[in-house]
Amino acid sequence: MQITGIISEYNPFHNGHKYLIEKHRENNPHAHFIAVMSGNFTQRGEAAILNKWQRARLAVAGGIDLVIELPFVFAVRSAQHFAFGGVDLLQKLNCVDAICFGSEYTDKDELIRIARSFQRMEFAPLFQKYIAQGISYASAVSRSIAELTGIGEDVLKAPNTILGIEYLKAVQKLHAPFDIDIIQRVKAQHNDLNYQRDFASGTAIRHCLYKDNINFDELKQVVPPKTFRLLQQIHAQNELPLEENLFLPLLWKLRLCSFTDIQKIYGINEGLEYKLLKASAQARNKTELLNGLKSKRYPMTNLQRMLLYIMLDLTKEQLNEFDNSGALYARVLAFNDRGMQILRRLKRKSSIPIITKTAAYLDSKKRRQENLTAWEKMLSIDTYATELYNLCFNPVRSCGEDFTTSPFFERS
């Protein structure tokens, strides 16, 4: 059995995702697919358009055999940590042969050379020089690597290429024995808001769903039929997540916390706590709060993630601990008959627990205790993130969904 891993968000699953699976399968007709997928919040710190079980179900309908949740502590982080968490989880399953990802730039040898450049002695001083100029982490990285390799910055700034480089860095760091398959990203680019016939970015699809005058005929062309029917349903029933619902709980927390408390939160550095607490005293909505904080050093994506860390009390100490440990379990969200075969193999070979019933490992009472193990802490954060996500709906959804929802099984 050949098993290929894909690290994903599927927000939502669209024709571009299906294309990647089909292109990989052209040269690997017997491949089985495991997707490691972010949960209810995405890497950019945004609420996913569909919950994790819905997205996992659509992924299985689209060709994935087994969907495993990427823990929140890696999923809602920078590209570096997102990629490391996904590759680490796939490696610990001890049955994955290859990883596959899409990229705007597909020269594998060049991408591997770029990934190795991060280990060169010259990289650190170059990077620190650019950081000292007050530019963002991503810009400092791209400028440093461009200077070391002679590869244009425009290549290094393409979103999927950035992730691809981070996957390769993680593979090198972990000495993971994976074959690498890089698929050319076609037509629609990551942040492109325009449809390209039968392809559109996830950004474009999400953007159109919040419009009053949505063109369902166009939407139908860029997503598989099951994705289309579910998106049409949630739009008709007004079941789209509204992140503004999180503003008042966030504001209340910010107005109550002390400087000491806020300084412990991951991502709060260099006096940002003072600016944050001042902005929270004046902001009337989330947009005003973010605009009051945005700078070259703190782009919007970083700030959106930081607000989630604040609401979930994620500290620097906690996330450093998880970065050292890597993924500590593999939580199953959906699978098919082929996925069931993979699960049987995982139960024999995986070095981390395979969780199909969360309540068998953690419940709403136990997660409140202070003496949790490291993996129980990691899992409890996933469940608290779901509770936060469920506040994004009108009316708000009930608690405990992680403890009552079973993985979806699609029979062939």
Side-chain angles (χ1 to χ4, degrees):
M1 181 190 298
Q2 180 186 336
I3 300 176
T4 296
I6 297 175
I7 303 166
S8 60
E9 293 197 310
Y10 296 147
N11 186 34
F13 190 92
H14 55 65
N15 287 352
H17 300 130
K18 187 177 179 182
Y19 173 84
L20 183 140
I21 294 168
E22 291 171 347
K23 290 299 288 184
H24 180 77
R25 194 163 263 153
E26 284 180 8
N27 296 322
N28 305 274
H30 303 295
H32 292 51
F33 288 94
I34 296 177
V36 174
M37 188 189 80
S38 56
N40 286 325
F41 289 94
T42 67
Q43 194 255 337
R44 293 176 60 85
E46 299 170 340
I49 200 79
L50 299 167
N51 74 38
K52 56 190 176 186
W53 295 283
Q54 292 172 317
R55 290 175 13 255
R57 182 173 183 169
L58 294 176
V60 169
I64 297 296
D65 300 304
L66 172 65
V67 182
I68 292 171
E69 181 176 359
L70 179 62
F72 180 97
V73 297
F74 304 110
V76 188
R77 301 280 297 283
S78 67
Q80 174 186 354
H81 296 99
F82 178 91
F84 175 83
V87 172
D88 178 65
L89 199 160
L90 287 170
Q91 183 186 34
K92 287 174 177 174
L93 298 178
N94 291 321
C95 70
V96 175
D97 303 294
I99 62 170
C100 176
F101 58 87
S103 175
E104 296 88 351
Y105 187 71
T106 58
D107 187 324
K108 183 162 66 174
D109 291 338
E110 282 289 81
L111 290 177
I112 290 173
R113 183 166 75 91
I114 293 169
R116 287 176 176 159
S117 296
F118 286 82
Q119 302 171 14
R120 290 173 55 178
M121 292 177 58
E122 304 97 318
F123 173 76
L126 266 179
F127 173 75
Q128 291 302 327
K129 179 184 78 172
Y130 288 123
I131 282 289
Q133 293 175 7
I135 65 175
S136 69
Y137 174 90
S139 294
V141 167
S142 63
R143 289 187 189 182
S144 301
I145 294 300
E147 191 167 329
L148 287 175
T149 63
I151 295 172
E153 268 194 79
D154 55 335
V155 170
L156 300 168
K157 287 183 177 180
N160 290 278
T161 300
I162 291 170
L163 261 180
I165 293 167
E166 292 298 342
Y167 294 145
L168 295 173
K169 282 173 58 184
V171 167
Q172 293 169 10
K173 181 177 181 178
L174 295 166
H175 304 289
F178 298 149
D179 292 331
I180 308 295
D181 188 19
I182 306 173
I183 306 297
Q184 176 72 55
R185 188 177 177 95
V186 295
K187 296 183 180 179
Q189 299 306 309
H190 180 75
N191 288 320
D192 190 352
L193 295 180
N194 298 312
Y195 287 13
Q196 306 289 335
R197 292 190 179 180
D198 49 352
F199 288 94
S201 68
T203 303
I205 294 168
R206 295 190 299 274
H207 187 265
C208 88
L209 284 167
Y210 284 94
K211 290 181 178 179
D212 294 330
N213 58 339
I214 179 173
N215 188 328
F216 282 107
D217 289 334
E218 285 188 347
L219 179 62
K220 192 173 186 177
Q221 300 304 311
V222 299
V223 296
K226 288 189 177 181
T227 300
F228 175 74
R229 287 195 291 273
L230 185 52
L231 293 178
Q232 191 176 40
Q233 175 187 322
I234 67 164
H235 186 273
Q237 297 174 355
N238 291 318
E239 292 183 349
L240 294 166
L242 303 170
E243 292 191 45
E244 193 61 36
N245 285 12
L246 298 180
F247 177 66
L248 287 181
L250 169 67
L251 200 61
W252 178 246
K253 188 152 194 171
L254 286 172
R255 291 184 177 183
L256 285 181
C257 69
S258 67
F259 282 114
T260 302
D261 290 335
I262 203 73
Q263 286 168 342
K264 294 178 182 177
I265 299 297
Y266 183 83
I268 306 290
N269 300 300
E270 301 169 342
L272 181 61
E273 63 273 18
Y274 299 102
K275 192 175 181 181
L276 177 61
L277 295 182
K278 180 181 178 181
S280 70
Q282 300 170 341
R284 293 168 295 180
N285 54 55
K286 184 181 176 183
T287 301
E288 286 188 5
L289 179 62
L290 288 170
N291 287 337
L293 298 170
K294 186 179 177 183
S295 66
K296 288 184 179 179
R297 181 63 62 86
Y298 294 101
M300 197 66 77
T301 299
N302 293 32
L303 295 171
Q304 287 176 162
R305 290 193 291 254
M306 182 192 68
L307 298 184
L308 291 176
Y309 305 152
I310 292 168
M311 286 187 277
L312 292 169
D313 285 324
L314 291 186
T315 65
K316 300 178 178 76
E317 182 180 358
Q318 283 179 305
L319 289 183
N320 286 338
E321 177 185 353
F322 294 138
D323 287 343
N324 290 330
S325 69
L328 296 173
Y329 52 82
R331 186 178 177 209
V332 177
L333 296 177
F335 59 98
N336 58 19
D337 289 327
R338 288 155 62 100
M340 186 177 288
Q341 295 175 30
I342 298 173
L343 281 172
R344 293 193 188 105
R345 178 177 286 198
L346 293 185
K347 289 175 181 177
R348 298 194 310 269
K349 294 195 170 187
S350 175
S351 63
I352 52 178
I354 307 299
I355 298 177
T356 54
K357 293 184 178 179
T358 304
Y361 293 82
L362 188 76
D363 58 33
S364 57
K365 182 177 180 180
K366 186 175 183 181
R367 71 178 174 180
R368 296 178 183 273
Q369 297 176 3
E370 295 184 359
N371 57 340
L372 298 179
T373 64
W375 70 263
E376 287 171 338
K377 291 176 185 176
M378 187 180 288
L379 183 56
S380 70
I381 292 166
D382 291 346
T383 68
Y384 282 128
T386 298
E387 312 297 14
L388 195 61
Y389 179 77
N390 284 340
L391 295 180
C392 293
F393 297 88
N394 293 327
V396 298
R397 296 176 178 176
S398 59
C399 287
E401 197 174 12
D402 280 292
F403 308 118
T404 58
T405 306
S406 298
F408 170 75
F409 174 49
E410 182 175 274
R411 296 183 184 276
S412 60

